[in-house]
Amino acid sequence: MAVTDLVTYLARSLVDEPEAVEVREVAGEKTAIIEVSVASDDVGKVIGRRGRIVQAIRTVAKAAAAREGRRVQVEIVE
Amino acid sequence: MDSIVRHGRTVEEAVASAARELGVDASRLEVEVLDEGSRGFLGVLGQRESRVRVTVNPGKEARVEAVVGEILAHVNPDAEFSVDSDEQFISVRIEGDNLGLIIGRRGETLNALQYLVNVLCGRGTEDRRSVIIDAGDFRSRREEDLVGLARRMAERSIKSGRQVRLDPMPPHERKIAHLALHDDERVQTHSEGEDPARFVVIAPRE
């Protein structure tokens, strides 16, 4: 899935421990949820100050999903 | 990427020797110290040279090109882009059909992309130049729109004698609005709130 690949790439590029990044897609009725988990020390790096980084990831992921006619929601899970 | 290993009496000398060999300034090298070396005892016993492995840093432009290429491959694989740079900025221009998706509503997606690329390419480098990403002629058209909007809102503020708030916008767009009214002596402008919800306020001058 292009969207999952994109989110995985972004998350791995942002963190200090890329090997700890796990991304999985949970299918939903209208919207698929993309769950991203990272090492606990890296959570701040994917969220960013006032959530700015995760918000930018969501916006770009939304565009990638729209290309496939899908809707996605990106969540950082602990 | 090519890397070479060099020896020297000190780490600095080893790096300098590597820089001469590669024909680049030492500031462009990424240095991994393999052995700090040792001056030994009384300058004789146990003396060991320093050893470093250096790699030429390809520069921020190459990193920007790689990151933008990777992201675009997922969002709009048909689009083409070029990277240009000067002392102040690294500019990325995206061209192609159906750029609407990468631009988004009022440039929302383009701004998110630009922000992410700045975060991803700003780490691990001393190069502080910011990356500006445009798609088609979006930014120049948006600039015209923002200047027009700022001027209309300034007139409204003067007529009503009240301050007018513009919608929240990112820093580079607020700057355009401030500059558009900079020479208008009837109003003054400032920004309020916190990014990403920070917005421009236009107020009549007393």
Side-chain angles (χ1 to χ4, degrees):
Chain A
M1 288 289 180
V3 189
T4 314
D5 290 347
L6 175 63
V7 173
T8 307
Y9 166 74
L10 292 173
R12 292 211 167 123
S13 310
L14 285 163
V15 300
D16 287 335
E17 288 181 58
E19 61 284 357
V21 170
E22 276 173 38
V23 178
R24 70 188 192 112
E25 190 171 322
V26 184
E29 213 169 294
K30 284 184 181 152
T31 306
I33 298 182
I34 296 182
E35 293 185 342
V36 182
S37 74
V38 302
S40 53
D41 285 348
D42 280 334
V43 173
K45 294 198 181 71
V46 287
I47 292 179
R49 267 177 60 216
R50 289 191 287 270
R52 229 181 134 187
I53 294 178
V54 70
Q55 201 49 54
I57 295 175
R58 285 185 181 127
T59 304
V60 173
K62 219 198 288 175
R67 198 180 133 253
E68 302 176 333
R70 304 196 303 140
R71 294 166 69 96
V72 296
Q73 190 181 331
V74 177
E75 299 294 346
I76 311 297
V77 296
E78 301 276 322
Chain B
M1 213 182 307
D2 288 344
S3 62
I4 63 170
V5 176
R6 275 289 166 276
H7 301 243
R9 215 159 42 84
T10 61
V11 168
E12 290 73 26
E13 279 191 22
V15 172
S17 140
R20 273 196 305 279
E21 162 115 15
L22 293 165
V24 299
D25 194 81
S27 63
R28 280 195 55 203
L29 296 178
E30 268 170 37
V31 179
E32 182 191 351
V33 177
L34 302 173
D35 190 340
E36 289 272 1
S38 161
R39 284 171 182 219
F41 182 65
L42 297 173
V44 187
L45 295 169
Q47 212 173 1
R48 228 169 51 241
E49 286 210 304
S50 306
R51 233 155 37 92
V52 296
R53 176 185 290 135
V54 302
T55 310
V56 182
N57 194 320
K60 198 168 177 177
E61 287 88 346
R63 172 103 181 110
V64 168
E65 193 169 339
V67 171
V68 171
E70 187 72 38
I71 298 175
L72 270 189
H74 294 98
V75 184
N76 191 342
D78 302 325
E80 295 182 335
F81 70 98
S82 57
V83 180
D84 231 355
S85 63
D86 57 27
E87 289 101 72
Q88 258 191 307
F89 299 107
I90 297 173
S91 315
V92 179
R93 173 168 282 280
I94 303 171
E95 305 277 1
D97 299 329
N98 302 319
L99 294 176
L101 216 51
I102 196 72
I103 294 171
R105 197 173 147 264
R106 286 190 196 171
E108 187 189 41
T109 309
L110 197 60
N111 289 335
L113 174 67
Q114 178 171 295
Y115 177 69
L116 282 175
V117 171
N118 273 291
V119 171
L120 290 173
C121 299
R123 289 182 182 166
T125 174
E126 299 287 302
D127 192 336
R128 293 272 76 95
R129 285 178 299 170
S130 49
V131 182
I132 296 173
I133 305 185
D134 200 357
D137 59 356
F138 174 76
R139 293 226 186 270
S140 49
R141 272 193 294 121
R142 177 81 177 141
E143 182 168 348
E144 278 172 30
D145 289 352
L146 284 170
V147 169
L149 174 77
R151 292 199 177 131
R152 282 198 309 281
M153 291 303 138
E155 294 302 330
R156 183 181 290 183
S157 153
I158 293 157
K159 271 197 194 119
S160 66
R162 290 194 193 168
Q163 58 178 40
V164 175
R165 297 171 164 200
L166 302 189
D167 285 338
M169 50 182 89
H172 58 273
E173 294 190 358
R174 293 198 304 271
K175 195 169 168 191
I176 293 168
H178 288 303
L179 283 175
L181 299 176
H182 185 256
D183 293 328
D184 190 332
E185 282 163 9
R186 300 167 302 164
V187 292
Q188 52 192 5
T189 65
H190 64 274
S191 297
E192 285 178 21
E194 301 278 353
D195 271 319
R198 198 163 161 82
F199 56 88
V200 172
V201 179
I202 303 170
R205 222 180 263 275
E206 301 294 307

